[in-house]
Amino acid sequence: PRNLDTLHGCDISAFDYDWTLSEESQVKALVQQARHVWTCSYVQEHYPDSMHFLDYARHGFSFLQKALWDQEYGGFHAYCHPDGSPVEDRMHEKRIYGQAFAVYGLAQYYRVSYDPEALELAKKAFLWMEDHAHDPEYGGYFEFLFREGGPMLERDSLQVASGDSPGIGLKDYNSSIHIMEALTELYRVWPDPLVKTRLEEMFHLIRDTFIHPDGYLQLYFYPDWTLVPEEEMERRSPENHWFTQHLTYGHDVETAFLLMETAHILEMESDEDTRSIAKRLVDHSLESGWDPEYGGFFDAGKKEQGLVSIINRNKSWWGLVEGMNALLLMHSLYPDDPQEYGQKFLLSWEHIDSYLIDKEHGGWYNASLDSSPESVRSKKSHIWKTTYHNTRGMINCIGMLRNSLH
């Protein structure tokens, strides 16, 4: 409950390590606020007696509707001030990543509230994406958009923060997997033919284009789905080029789950190609990104001359819980596999319980303390840290464990 901003609406953006209010900017970010709406609605769905979570979700929905929706051009602003006014230096741009999470949260909120205004706003957001971000020639969606819609190209890179500019004019893995995730949620509540067409499109692009045959996500593509070569990403981001070319284990295991979730909705759950690719994502992550000493997945690796080295030994909260979820899913599909997914799931949970959950103040650290001891004093909440990954992973694991007992 302390997350609720009862003065301005939606949720407070940042808390320090001990859950005192952070002195850093309390600017509201669309991704964070939409994730809170989804999370509270997901808890409500699975724990229907906890009606206060529906109230929390309704509180968040109101802010999405009244403050973050762009009344002039449509779509959602990426950021706003607590009073709902736009952040001036970010007004000219929108991101498809945030639009997708808004659709995701609105659709899940509608599932538990049956509020017609929530479904109507989800439809408007989807159609805005269709008109302003979807590529009618090659398929998929552009991430960087002008406020009024339409993709930014590389020549427009000076209009956004320099750290973001390498992806301008490209199609990227992170927004794409979450667009698929959002359309999956939307299709549950609005089985519209166009939604299904776009969902199938994203499913096949992610499964058949983004994933390398060895079992990891390839990160950036030109609009025609030609892979952007490493030297081009280095040109675009010379100081941080490793981050545009790395192996991202958290996203790989998360994508394994998301593909299976979408396959279920598309009635393709038994499709062997999809199962095999999801399994390959998890297996490759275990083979090159798993910590054999403490358990859990490292944040990032780099593949050079056929060999993988770990370039970021942090273990983020979100990647660890997505890993736990994916391992138990693989165990349910392949209980006798030599990878011993069930045993690694147990190790993964033990690692989270020992190194990631703050037993003194509550909540989860940003990264597990075995590899990132400084995380003990890191912020418990900020615009990129919400309870979305934690809640989904734990509720899904509880469900799978209960099913295994029957």
Side-chain angles (χ1 to χ4, degrees), residues 115-395:
D115 184 340
E117 291 187 12
L119 182 58
E120 188 59 30
L121 189 55
K123 292 178 180 180
K124 285 172 63 177
F126 166 74
L127 293 173
W128 190 91
M129 292 167 60
E130 175 68 19
D131 291 340
H132 299 290
H134 181 256
D135 184 344
E137 184 175 4
Y138 297 109
Y141 295 79
F142 293 97
E143 164 67 3
F144 291 88
L145 311 167
F146 291 105
R147 179 186 175 188
E148 62 272 21
M152 290 184 178
L153 304 176
E154 189 183 359
R155 64 175 179 267
D156 304 309
S157 62
L158 294 178
Q159 300 194 44
V160 302
S162 59
D164 292 333
S165 60
I168 289 185
L170 305 178
K171 294 168 182 173
D172 75 275
Y173 70 104
N174 199 11
S175 61
S176 295
I177 65 172
H178 293 298
I179 292 166
M180 180 179 73
E181 173 186 44
L183 296 180
T184 299
E185 201 74 73
L186 182 61
Y187 189 63
R188 293 181 203 260
V189 297
W190 184 40
D192 179 80
L194 181 58
V195 176
K196 184 178 183 182
T197 296
R198 294 290 171 256
L199 179 57
E200 291 174 333
E201 177 182 304
M202 294 309 300
F203 174 80
H204 288 290
L205 282 169
I206 290 163
R207 192 192 70 174
D208 303 331
T209 299
F210 272 97
I211 298 172
H212 188 277
D214 288 347
Y216 58 87
L217 282 165
Q218 301 173 110
L219 307 187
Y220 290 93
F221 291 81
Y222 292 114
D224 65 356
W225 297 107
T226 303
L227 184 66
V228 180
E230 288 190 10
E231 57 269 22
E232 170 62 10
M233 292 313 300
E234 184 168 358
R235 182 192 71 78
R236 286 171 172 248
S237 185
E239 296 179 357
N240 198 26
H241 71 274
W242 71 266
F243 191 74
T244 64
Q245 302 164 52
H246 64 306
L247 303 175
T248 170
Y249 297 113
H251 288 110
D252 287 350
V253 293
E254 182 182 19
T255 300
F257 161 73
L258 293 175
L259 281 171
M260 292 304 301
E261 180 184 52
T262 300
H264 173 71
I265 294 301
L266 294 175
E267 299 181 344
M268 296 174 57
E269 197 169 19
S270 299
D271 177 70
E272 284 303 321
D273 286 342
T274 304
R275 285 190 174 202
S276 174
I277 290 169
K279 184 180 190 302
R280 206 176 310 152
L281 284 165
V282 177
D283 288 352
H284 183 270
S285 297
L286 285 171
E287 290 157 8
S288 64
W290 176 262
D291 183 352
E293 183 176 3
Y294 292 99
F297 293 99
F298 293 115
D299 272 9
K302 185 82 165 70
K303 188 175 183 179
E304 295 180 300
Q305 298 179 340
L307 298 176
V308 175
S309 58
I310 300 300
I311 56 174
N312 186 350
R313 300 185 69 84
N314 288 346
K315 300 175 196 170
S316 297
W317 93 96
W318 68 270
L320 291 177
V321 73
E322 292 293 351
M324 182 179 73
N325 182 42
L327 288 167
L328 190 54
L329 174 62
M330 288 298 111
H331 175 67
S332 71
L333 296 173
Y334 304 100
D336 301 318
D337 193 89
Q339 288 280 12
E340 297 184 324
Y341 299 116
Q343 183 62 29
K344 289 187 174 72
F345 158 75
L346 293 173
L347 288 171
S348 186
W349 166 244
E350 182 181 349
H351 177 262
I352 288 172
D353 190 40
S354 299
Y355 296 105
L356 198 59
I357 296 176
D358 185 341
K359 303 297 176 61
E360 181 180 358
H361 300 107
W364 294 33
Y365 302 116
N366 281 264
S368 61
L369 300 184
D370 60 304
S371 57
S372 307
E374 70 281 0
S375 192
V376 73
R377 292 278 176 165
S378 296
K379 289 181 174 59
K380 281 294 180 354
S381 176
H382 48 78
I383 61 173
W384 294 111
K385 185 170 186 287
T386 70
T387 58
Y388 142 74
H389 292 284
N390 320 43
T391 300
R392 181 176 69 187
M394 289 190 290
I395 287 179

